[in-house]
């Protein structure tokens, strides 16, 4: 197990990324509450967040909370270009960059003292370089571990820099609420708070076996390790995704089963195309749901053999939706998502019997080739005709 003895890991996270790009490109928006997204909030400036606006909130609710907000349509190409420019700055800072999303990354700067200075000096210069060359504010946390660096950047937002030195890690970490721990969502937080465990320090005081009894073996061991500052993960360059997914915010309007199916087809079409582009196959399909009361649920199914065939994965996903249909009808649905996991490289596989003679893989490959040459609208599924094309969020390569 490798654990660094010095604070050399940076977590760099752009502030309110989409909204900041809009404010950068339109000076009239600076200092004003900005909402990106018409029907559903994709991003909100800190001026809008101060009024209670949050990402994934319905547009009507957001405008009630902040009636003077400026609402703008998303410009995904602008966000992709800005992300590319920021990652260029990251890679000029250090070759050891692990991207987490288009607006955040871990950077390891431990071997750069003689040529670039101390980690805090490098972090400060990184923030200056991003603002000077890309025109965007960025917050950086510096710590000995990935977990602490990410928490530090969250605490320092917006547009801040926070260094957690090794000798004050627990003094920094333990007063924080339990929600700062990776893996503590709403349900886990309720379980812990019911037992009087409200801070990270409280978690650290609980024996590991007691945490296991409360939240389960894997989560219990994970939370106990984080609460005492143990996180041996290194910054890894070029690490491949563990899953490939997409989701679609539905807003508050009731959707018929046919409308939900059309949304589902579009999502599965996108994620399977990404899967094949990355030359990977998936064994597990995960359905993600968010209901009208903002509670969430997941359903999953694991196949006997991994695949990248759109038709096969769509059938599995439709079956998961059908099994959940009574709950959706009763509780409504505001978000639908699909993730493909248990990924493997798309190496030549022994074909399972009976062999598919209908050419599913050949059809997928042909459709992918046509779209790559002539654009996404060149060929589509009939159920998606005359429907607005879903917003595709920019992301790092799969």
């Amino acid at each position: 197990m490798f654990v660094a003895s010095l604070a050399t890991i940076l977590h760099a996270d752009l502030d309110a990324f989409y909204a900041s790009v809009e404010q950068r490109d339109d000076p009239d928006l600076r200092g004003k509450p900005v909402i990106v997204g018409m029907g559903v909030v994709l991003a909100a400036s800190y001026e809008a967040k101060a009024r209670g606006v949050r990402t994934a909130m319905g547009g009507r609710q957001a405008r009630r909370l902040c009636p003077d907000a400026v609402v703008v349509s998303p410009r995904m190409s602008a966000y992709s270009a800005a992300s590319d420019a920021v990652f260029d700055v990251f890679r000029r800072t250090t070759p050891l960059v692990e991207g987490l999303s288009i607006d955040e990354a871990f950077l390891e700067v431990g071997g750069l003292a003689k040529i670039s200075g101390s980690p805090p000096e490098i972090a400060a210069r990184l923030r200056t370089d991003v603002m000077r060359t890309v025109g965007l504010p960025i917050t950086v946390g510096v710590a000995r571990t990935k977990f602490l660096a990410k928490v530090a950047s969250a605490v320092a937002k917006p547009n801040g820099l926070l260094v957690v030195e090794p000798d004050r890690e627990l003094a920094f970490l333990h007063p924080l609420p339990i929600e700062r721990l990776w893996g503590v969502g709403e349900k886990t937080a309720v379980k812990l708070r019911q037992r009087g465990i409200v801070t990270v320090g409280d978690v650290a005081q609980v024996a590991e076996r007691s945490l296991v009894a409360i939240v389960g073996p894997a989560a219990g061991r994970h939370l106990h390790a984080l609460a005492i500052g143990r996180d041996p993960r290194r910054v890894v360059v070029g690490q491949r995704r563990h899953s490939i997914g997409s989701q679609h915010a539905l807003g508050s309007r009731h959707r018929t089963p046919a409308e939900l199916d059309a949304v589902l087809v579009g999502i599965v079409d996108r994620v399977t195309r990404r899967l094949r582009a990355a030359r990977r196959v998936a064994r597990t399909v995960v359905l993600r749901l968010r209901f009208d009361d903002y509670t969430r649920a997941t359903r999953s199914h694991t196949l006997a053999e991994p695949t990248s065939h759109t038709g096969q994965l769509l059938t599995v996903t439709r079956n998961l939706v059908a099994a959940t249909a009574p709950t959706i009808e009763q509780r409504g649905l505001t978000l639908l998502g699909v993730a493909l996991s248990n990924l493997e490289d798309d190496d030549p596989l022994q074909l399972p019997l009976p062999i598919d003679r209908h050419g599913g893989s050949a059809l997928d490959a042909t459709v992918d080739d046509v779209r790559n040459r002539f654009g996404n609208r060149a060929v589509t599924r009939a159920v998606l005709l005359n429907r607005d094309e879903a917003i595709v969020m920019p992301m790092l390569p799969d």
Side-chain angles (χ1 to χ4, degrees):
M1 179 183 296
F2 171 85
V3 180
S5 59
L6 300 174
T8 62
I9 295 178
L10 277 56
H11 179 255
D13 192 3
L14 289 159
D15 298 320
F17 178 43
Y18 293 178
S20 292
V21 172
E22 298 299 336
Q23 290 177 319
R24 177 197 68 181
D25 293 348
D26 184 352
D28 289 341
L29 297 179
R30 296 172 190 172
K32 295 179 181 178
V34 175
I35 295 174
V36 179
M38 310 304 285
V40 177
V41 177
L42 300 178
S45 68
Y46 279 92
E47 294 86 356
K49 289 181 179 182
R51 309 275 285 277
V53 178
R54 295 291 180 267
T55 301
M57 179 179 286
R60 290 182 181 178
Q61 182 183 359
R63 287 188 289 274
R64 283 197 300 268
L65 291 170
C66 190
D68 57 331
V70 180
V71 182
V72 299
S73 297
R75 299 181 300 131
M76 296 306 174
S77 60
Y79 311 146
S80 293
S83 173
D84 291 344
V86 170
F87 270 80
D88 284 344
V89 177
F90 290 166
R91 296 186 185 100
R92 289 199 299 270
T93 301
T94 173
L96 300 179
V97 179
E98 180 181 338
L100 300 179
S101 67
I102 67 164
D103 60 353
E104 63 173 321
F106 287 117
L107 295 81
E108 172 60 66
V109 299
L112 303 176
K114 290 186 178 180
I115 60 175
S116 300
S118 67
E121 292 170 337
I122 295 172
R125 188 163 56 251
L126 173 68
R127 295 182 62 242
T128 300
D129 289 346
V130 169
M131 177 57 75
R132 177 176 52 82
T133 62
V134 192
L136 296 175
I138 190 167
T139 296
V140 180
V142 185
R144 183 180 55 92
T145 68
K146 282 183 171 181
F147 168 64
L148 284 169
K150 189 171 176 69
V151 173
S153 69
V155 171
K157 279 188 170 292
N159 198 21
L161 169 62
L162 179 59
V163 180
V164 180
E165 297 292 355
D167 60 355
R168 67 179 190 92
E169 287 177 352
L170 298 185
F172 162 74
L173 183 61
H174 282 181
L176 299 175
I178 53 175
E179 287 81 3
R180 290 290 189 184
L181 290 171
W182 281 348
V184 176
E186 293 180 10
K187 292 184 178 179
T188 301
V190 169
K191 290 179 182 179
L192 295 173
R193 288 183 179 278
Q194 286 175 342
R195 292 164 174 81
I197 303 171
V198 298
T199 68
V200 177
D202 294 335
V203 175
Q205 294 298 315
V206 178
E208 183 179 287
R209 62 180 179 275
S210 298
L211 282 175
V212 166
I214 297 170
V215 298
R221 290 191 290 269
H222 167 75
L223 295 181
H224 184 266
L226 294 182
I228 62 175
R230 189 166 65 228
D231 178 13
R233 297 168 305 150
R234 302 188 192 209
V235 173
V236 179
V237 179
Q239 180 166 284
R240 304 197 75 183
R241 293 181 185 273
H242 299 296
S243 67
I244 292 177
S246 182
Q247 60 189 28
H248 187 107
L250 302 170
S252 57
R253 182 174 69 83
H254 175 75
R255 306 295 179 112
T256 66
E259 288 176 320
L260 288 179
D261 185 67
V263 172
L264 188 72
V265 169
I267 294 173
V268 174
D269 204 44
R270 290 195 298 275
V271 296
T272 52
R273 184 183 177 194
R274 287 174 50 202
L275 187 70
R276 292 187 294 271
R279 302 185 184 280
R280 311 194 78 182
V281 289
R283 191 183 294 271
T284 299
V285 179
V286 180
L287 178 70
R288 303 187 186 281
L289 307 168
R290 188 183 67 208
F291 302 109
D292 284 355
D293 60 1
Y294 285 89
T295 58
R296 296 174 180 265
T298 60
R299 301 290 185 269
S300 65
H301 178 80
T302 298
L303 299 162
E305 300 288 341
T307 183
S308 63
H309 293 181
T310 297
Q312 185 177 355
L313 293 167
L314 178 59
T315 297
V316 172
T317 312
R318 277 174 163 162
N319 290 339
L320 291 173
V321 171
T324 320
T327 304
I328 294 174
E329 181 63 29
Q330 179 184 9
R331 300 174 61 184
L333 197 65
T334 60
L335 182 140
L336 182 63
V338 175
L340 306 177
S341 60
N342 278 338
L343 303 182
E344 302 174 14
D345 290 336
D346 188 12
D347 296 324
L349 300 171
Q350 179 177 339
L351 294 176
L353 295 175
I355 295 174
D356 175 18
R357 299 188 183 278
H358 297 289
S361 59
L363 175 61
D364 287 337
T366 301
V367 171
D368 290 346
D369 185 53
V370 170
R371 287 172 171 170
N372 289 338
R373 292 180 63 188
F374 302 108
N376 291 341
R377 293 180 177 271
V379 60
T380 190
R381 292 178 176 268
V383 72
L384 300 178
L385 287 173
N386 300 318
R387 293 181 182 272
D388 292 336
E389 190 172 356
I391 295 173
V392 179
M393 310 295 278
M395 56 190 64
L396 297 176
D398 294 313

